[in-house]
Amino acid sequence: MAGAHPTVTDGSPDTSRRVSFWLDDLVVRGLDDLRPRAALTSNARFDVCLIGGGLTALWTAYSLAKRDPTLRIAVLEREFAGFGASGRNGGWCSALFPQSATSIEREHGFDQAQAMRRAMIDTVDEVGRVTALEQIDCDYVKGGTVLFARNRPQRELAAAEVDEARRFGVDALEYWEERAVGSRFGATGLDGTAPAAVYDPDCARVQPAKLVRGLARVVESLGVSVFERTEVVGWSAGRVQFRALDGSGAEGTVSSSHVIVATEGYGAKLPRVRRRILPLYSLMIATEPLPDEVWSEIGIEHGQTFSDYRHLLVYGQRTADNRFAFGGRGASYHWGSAMNPAYERVDSVFTHLHTALRDLFPAVGDARVTHRWGGPLGVARDWNATASYNPKTGVGFAGAYVGDGLSTTNLAGRTMADLVQGVESDLTGLPWVNHRSPLWEPEPLRFLGANLGVLGMQFADAEERATGRPSLVARAIGRLTGH
Ligand SMILES: Cc1cc2nc3c(=O)[nH]c(=O)nc-3n(C[C@H](O)[C@H](O)[C@H](O)COP(=O)(O)OP(=O)(O)OC[C@H]3O[C@@H](n4cnc5c(N)ncnc54)[C@H](O)[C@@H]3O)c2cc1C
């Protein structure tokens, strides 16, 4: 089983800085000291035991505790709540889902694909509703997302996305012509022409650490027991084995009717789920705050997120304090699904991100990059996310959101609450529920496949820049990645 993790928080002042700008910002502003809550140090009995202290576990705990305050619910987190992807992400609370609607339609039919789109769009508003209700101040502003289409192949992808959305009739995507984009945004094209763009109103900008840390406090106030520095080392129906990482050396067992695994990318280190999930690192940078006149030139408003239609994904937002937070893929997959804090800091990827940001918005100029960080996404073999539960064993699993988990975790939490309580609902009828992805291949195939995917995306972007035509490589990879 996994040994002690090298980044277990030691209470040193730079713990937050190591993890993400978002967590660091909470500490710097005196909003949170990230001091770990108490570990679990003796055997215990709960009704529901959640493994992991990210948004999946916390939204599940929230839904269950709200519906039935008598339930005894525990969250067991190895580090501190929000340590994982939930405290590090790009802050896009979007209606995106790893599998495209067309891909869901191929497997489950039109109505199911449409229902999934509807559920995701509703979820963006649901996160806004609950955070307002519970007074979680997480800078939630629903300003939509602007997806720039910067050359001919990107414009074709943009038009195809709008067509797909029209066919399903749920997403309210708008195609913005070059002139409209040029008059509002200081974004560049790649072929000497001004970019066009797709505008998707169903996306909110959040400060992710404020969301996950605030949610942890709310569930505690509802009576949920949140144990930190408590590592789960195994589970089976009705039982979870743990060890405390607080120096006490305590170990024990939680007896629980329901056991929900919510460890996302970190599941790659847990023997029972390691072939189900592949950890793929996404990295981010944040700039110093930019003056208002620079933002006027750039055109991105508060609450707005942005990206473009390149294949090797990038994503960004304007933070509440006027920085760019900008991230992307490109980090390699490591042999045997190895995980290490060093993989969250890859200089070549940080340099690529900085260059890509300045290339998209030249007005960024020499603005200083103040923070660099990264974290693991969880990827299933068929790029399908799932919320699954076996009523016979009481064991459930939710995750594999790739880079679309911020809002999807909320849908997972509400769905998991229905599954645990045996309630049949619109949510439990959605096509991702109880989806079983194939297992990842053993090495060396996994290593080859995952890294060829990353390289293939880089190649596809270079090919499109050079030829001005849609990449054939990208099309081939697209079918393997849920599109
Ligand atoms: C850099 C980055 C940018 C992203 N940007 C976006 C975005 O803009 N929008 C979006 O929708 N999604 C984004 N994502 C994805 C999104 O953040 C995740 O899908 C989501 O946060 C997953 O939440 P989770 O609770 O399932 O997992 P996590 O937040 O990763 O939580 C898992 C927790 O399990 C704990 N754990 C692991 N092993 C054990 C164990 N043995 N015992 C106890 N605890 C354990 C970990 O410490 C961790 O806290 C991004 C992810 C990254 C890394």
Side-chain angles (χ1 to χ4, degrees):
M1 186 50 68
H5 195 265
T7 58
V8 167
T9 179
D10 49 13
S12 71
D14 62 339
T15 297
S16 59
R17 202 172 169 86
R18 282 200 305 259
V19 179
S20 72
F21 158 68
W22 312 112
L23 287 160
D24 187 46
D25 197 45
L26 295 187
V27 175
V28 168
R29 289 177 194 276
L31 298 172
D32 195 332
D33 59 11
L34 303 182
R35 192 173 308 140
R37 296 170 168 86
L40 182 59
T41 51
S42 57
N43 293 341
R45 180 175 292 279
F46 288 95
D47 299 310
V48 183
C49 181
L50 294 147
I51 305 174
L55 287 172
T56 297
L58 295 170
W59 281 125
T60 305
Y62 177 79
S63 290
L64 284 167
K66 278 294 230 194
R67 288 178 198 188
D68 182 354
T70 67
L71 278 177
R72 292 163 306 165
I73 304 169
V75 172
L76 270 47
E77 161 59 46
R78 187 181 56 200
E79 315 268 349
F80 56 81
F83 170 84
S86 300
R88 305 171 185 229
N89 60 61
W92 283 43
C93 180
S94 76
L96 297 173
F97 189 72
Q99 233 190 331
S100 71
T102 300
S103 168
I104 298 175
E105 181 189 24
R106 273 198 296 269
E107 250 176 82
H108 300 277
F110 182 88
D111 291 350
Q112 286 282 80
Q114 196 184 46
M116 197 69 217
R117 291 304 319 136
R118 225 169 241 134
M120 286 305 304
I121 289 170
D122 291 348
T123 298
V124 176
D125 292 332
E126 176 65 9
V127 172
R129 187 188 72 77
V130 176
T131 51
L133 175 77
E134 303 293 354
Q135 299 179 332
I136 300 173
D137 173 11
C138 61
D139 303 337
Y140 178 104
V141 179
K142 191 177 166 195
T145 194
V146 184
L147 306 158
F148 296 102
R150 302 172 67 207
N151 57 13
R152 204 184 105 206
Q154 292 197 14
R155 278 191 281 274
E156 285 184 23
L157 285 176
E161 190 169 27
V162 173
D163 285 348
E164 183 193 50
R166 287 207 181 111
R167 197 161 68 76
F168 287 97
V170 189
D171 291 82
L173 300 191
E174 296 169 19
Y175 190 90
W176 290 352
E177 301 289 346
E178 288 80 347
R179 191 187 304 233
V181 173
S183 66
R184 284 179 66 172
F185 298 97
T188 58
L190 292 171
D191 54 5
T193 61
V198 169
Y199 176 69
D200 180 354
D202 290 305
C203 184
R205 178 280 316 266
V206 303
Q207 205 284 34
K210 284 185 173 177
L211 172 62
V212 65
R213 300 288 299 171
L215 188 58
R217 281 192 291 274
V218 168
V219 300
E220 259 186 325
S221 74
L222 295 174
V224 173
S225 303
V226 180
F227 298 104
E228 299 185 331
R229 293 214 256 185
T230 303
E231 181 178 37
V232 169
V233 294
W235 66 87
S236 54
R239 296 165 71 78
V240 175
Q241 292 90 36
F242 68 86
R243 67 175 173 211
L245 302 179
D246 60 350
S248 66
E251 298 180 344
T253 302
V254 171
S255 309
S256 178
S257 316
H258 311 279
V259 175
I260 310 298
V261 183
T263 48
E264 193 55 348
Y266 302 92
K269 294 175 73 176
L270 298 168
R272 290 200 62 156
V273 287
R274 63 171 308 150
R275 292 273 304 279
R276 288 182 76 174
I277 206 94
L278 181 136
L280 200 61
Y281 284 89
S282 195
L283 269 53
M284 294 198 71
I285 57 174
T287 66
E288 62 188 329
L290 305 181
D292 286 347
E293 55 276 17
V294 173
W295 280 111
S296 307
E297 199 177 331
I298 289 167
I300 298 290
E301 292 166 12
H302 276 297
Q304 245 171 19
T305 57
F306 66 90
S307 180
D308 64 19
Y309 280 91
R310 79 185 71 198
H311 298 289
L312 192 67
L313 184 81
V314 294
Y315 48 88
Q317 67 148 283
R318 176 179 178 172
T319 65
D321 66 346
N322 283 323
R323 298 166 191 265
F324 267 113
F326 187 69
R329 310 249 172 95
S332 313
Y333 161 81
H334 296 271
W335 182 273
S337 294
M339 299 185 76
N340 187 310
Y343 305 160
E344 298 161 8
R345 315 189 68 82
V346 183
D347 284 342
S348 59
V349 178
F350 292 138
T351 304
H352 155 73
L353 290 173
H354 195 187
T355 307
L357 179 62
R358 281 187 297 196
D359 177 51
L360 178 58
F361 297 116
V364 170
D366 294 330
R368 228 162 31 92
V369 170
T370 54
H371 293 74
R372 297 170 180 80
W373 73 98
L377 312 173
V379 186
R381 177 64 179 81
D382 57 3
W383 288 60
N384 281 0
T386 189
S388 311
Y389 178 78
N390 182 342
K392 292 204 182 92
T393 60
V395 177
F397 171 95
Y401 314 105
V402 194
D404 300 326
L406 198 158
S407 45
T408 317
T409 49
N410 172 280
L411 182 64
R414 287 180 284 135
T415 306
M416 207 47 102
D418 282 347
L419 292 169
V420 163
Q421 294 193 312
V423 175
E424 276 186 34
S425 66
D426 288 349
L427 296 185
T428 61
L430 289 171
W432 73 317
V433 173
N434 290 327
H435 173 81
R436 188 88 189 172
S437 298
L439 298 180
W440 281 98
E441 289 80 358
E443 300 296 13
L445 290 178
R446 198 176 348 154
F447 181 83
L448 289 172
N451 284 324
L452 278 176
V454 174
L455 285 174
M457 294 299 182
Q458 275 163 356
F459 178 83
D461 287 324
E463 183 193 352
E464 291 188 349
R465 268 188 185 221
T467 65
R469 287 195 302 277
S471 162
L472 297 173
V473 174
R475 186 184 296 183
I477 296 175
R479 286 300 285 256
L480 300 174
T481 58
H483 293 279

